Amino acid sequence: MDHRRIPPVQGEENMAPETAMLGYGYYPEWSEGAVKCPNFQTSTFVFPTAEAGKTYFEMAMGKPGHENDTMGLIYSRINNPTVEILENRLKLWDKAEAAAVFSSGMSAISTTLLTFLRPGDLLLYSNPLYGGTHKFIHSILPAFGVEILGFQPNQTREEIISMIDASGLGKKLRMIYVETPANPTNHLIDIRMASDIAASYTAKNLADAKSPEMARRVLTVVDNTYMGPIWQHPLQLGADIVLYSATKYIGGHSDLIAGAATGSASLMTAVKRMRTVMGTNTDSHTAWLLLRSLETLMIRMNAAEANAKEVAAWLVKHPAVEKVIYLGHLNESDGNQYAIYKSQCKGAGAMISFVVKGGEKGAFRFLNHLHHIKLAVSLGGTESLAEHPGTMTHSDVPEEEKLSLGIVPGLVRLSVGVERAADLIADLQQALEPEHVHLHTDPAFGHIL
Ligand SMILES: *Cc1c(COP(=O)(O)O)cnc(C)c1O
């Protein structure tokens, strides 16, 4: 039975998202009474008639005249029931009109940027950025004629505006791209400030345009991977599009690669048309795994956050730790960072960065001695992971830039999982004090750990 022909039960979308994840948008009657949405593992769909196939294609291509027709299933690069049911659930967390799921976070980012940016357009972006995004913005977009301009977390609204105006490209500004909290330094960018700046350039364009339809709208796009979709809701702060690496918290089990975008129906339609042409869609099996993941999203993220608070409080007191960077530890002395945290984050998250004494050597010694916590990049999974940003995820960032951003040689990034906090702390302790543990595990001491 075609899920598109049966509207979702009214009101279900108004339940708390953690409730809606258990049923919204899928009815067992569609699939032999199966409680779970099946994996519709098929590349293509049978059309009821040739005329229906013609209509579906015209609708997929955005041809007018089909306002009252129902779109049907065509081919899994264009649409697939498992993927669409996932998108219908995913949008509820951000209270978005629509969502689009992709084969990776990078395909969500690249497809969205290529949907809206044209040669000569200006892209304003925040620093620091996820490594892949940094590379896409710096080495791919300029080759297509897109102008790029970066700003720093400590820059004020006025400084950013005068920087845009000084570039002489204010009229060409098309998008403000923000990653907050930034990976791996947890720097915060004020999303309201970014969307206000975008609105002020949109207003200037409206004043100059011959007709409102011809005015360029400046879009605010936020990478919400670190906080979302639980601890930060950029659409409510004025953003137009929210992007995710769904590989991280949304997938949450370190067993898939995926990405997502949420936003208005019209923006998501544009993004999905580009996705169909670029082929950056995800497959039904990954979508099916993500449906499973969404059922426990809230409890996983809450458990990880509760653990992170305990771990961060313990790390601060450890003599081998020079500095702990955790959102939950921000206070008045951190100036604008604390104010932004208070006004836009609903939680402190579960990402901790900390500086181990002894520079790279000290950090490596710690990482090499971890037992339970895995030495791996990625984040947001059920298991805790640790890595060294300076030589791994951010090895491409120029050395001076690393230091100015706080990516010092002793910096370690920890993604806290859902284990028992005491076990994580015990593992961190033995890895921070390997010589101490060595003494006690020396055969001469009879393994008195
Ligand atoms: C991992 C990550 C990405 C890229 O996502 P992939 O799923 O690996 O393609 C983008 N942004 C942030 C903040 C990330 O952590």
Side-chain angles (χ1 to χ4, degrees), residues 257-393:
I257 299 279
T262 63
S264 69
S266 65
L267 291 175
M268 288 303 109
T269 298
V271 168
K272 284 180 188 173
R273 292 217 170 107
M274 186 61 124
R275 180 184 68 180
T276 290
V277 175
M278 290 179 66
T280 45
N281 58 292
T282 195
D283 61 289
S284 67
H285 178 64
T286 302
W288 180 80
L289 285 169
L290 285 164
L291 279 169
R292 163 218 57 177
S293 294
L294 285 182
E295 297 186 5
T296 55
L297 181 70
M298 178 74 102
I299 55 176
R300 280 187 283 111
M301 290 181 77
N302 284 340
E305 185 189 36
N307 278 348
K309 283 183 178 153
E310 282 193 51
V311 168
W314 180 85
L315 281 171
V316 164
K317 291 190 239 139
H318 199 282
V321 174
E322 210 168 282
K323 184 182 175 189
V324 176
I325 308 165
Y326 179 57
L327 293 184
H329 290 183
L330 287 172
N331 59 53
E332 274 85 1
S333 70
D334 298 299
N336 84 332
Q337 294 291 296
Y338 183 63
I340 298 170
Y341 172 64
K342 279 285 168 207
S343 79
Q344 82 183 20
C345 302
K346 294 201 161 83
M351 292 301 296
I352 304 172
S353 289
F354 60 98
V355 181
V356 179
K357 284 186 185 158
E360 183 177 303
K361 224 169 151 205
F364 279 17
R365 190 182 73 148
F366 161 73
L367 290 168
N368 287 334
H369 280 89
L370 287 169
H371 287 160
H372 166 76
I373 299 170
K374 306 283 186 297
L375 168 54
V377 299
S378 198
L379 60 104
T382 41
E383 73 283 90
S384 297
L385 300 176
E387 65 114 5
H388 186 251
T391 59
M392 296 167 193
T393 47

Side-chain angles (χ1 to χ4, degrees), residues 363-433:
F364 279 17
R365 190 182 73 148
F366 161 73
L367 290 168
N368 287 334
H369 280 89
L370 287 169
H371 287 160
H372 166 76
I373 299 170
K374 306 283 186 297
L375 168 54
V377 299
S378 198
L379 60 104
T382 41
E383 73 283 90
S384 297
L385 300 176
E387 65 114 5
H388 186 251
T391 59
M392 296 167 193
T393 47
H394 294 72
S395 57
D396 241 18
V397 179
E399 219 48 48
E400 334 71 90
E401 204 177 322
K402 267 187 213 163
L403 295 179
S404 78
L405 290 167
I407 308 175
V408 294
L411 189 77
V412 166
R413 188 188 77 181
L414 178 64
S415 168
V416 179
V418 302
E419 305 92 333
R420 182 73 67 90
D423 289 330
L424 296 177
I425 289 170
D427 194 24
L428 293 167
Q429 177 159 29
Q430 64 80 24
L432 284 168
E433 305 161 22

Side-chain angles (χ1 to χ4, degrees), residues 2-3 88 125 137 145 153 175 200 203 224 227 249 319 350 403 425 444:
D2 188 344
H3 71 292
N88 288 338
Y125 65 92
I137 289 179
M175 185 184 286
S200 72
N224 201 31
M227 290 268 104
Y249 288 104
L403 295 179
I425 289 170

Side-chain angles (χ1 to χ4, degrees), residues 104-106 109 130 133 179 183 223 225 245 247-248 257-258 379:
S104 69
M106 280 317 300
I109 293 166
Y130 173 74
T133 312
E179 181 179 314
N183 182 355
D223 182 336
T225 299
S245 167
T247 310
K248 315 294 167 54
I257 299 279
L379 60 104

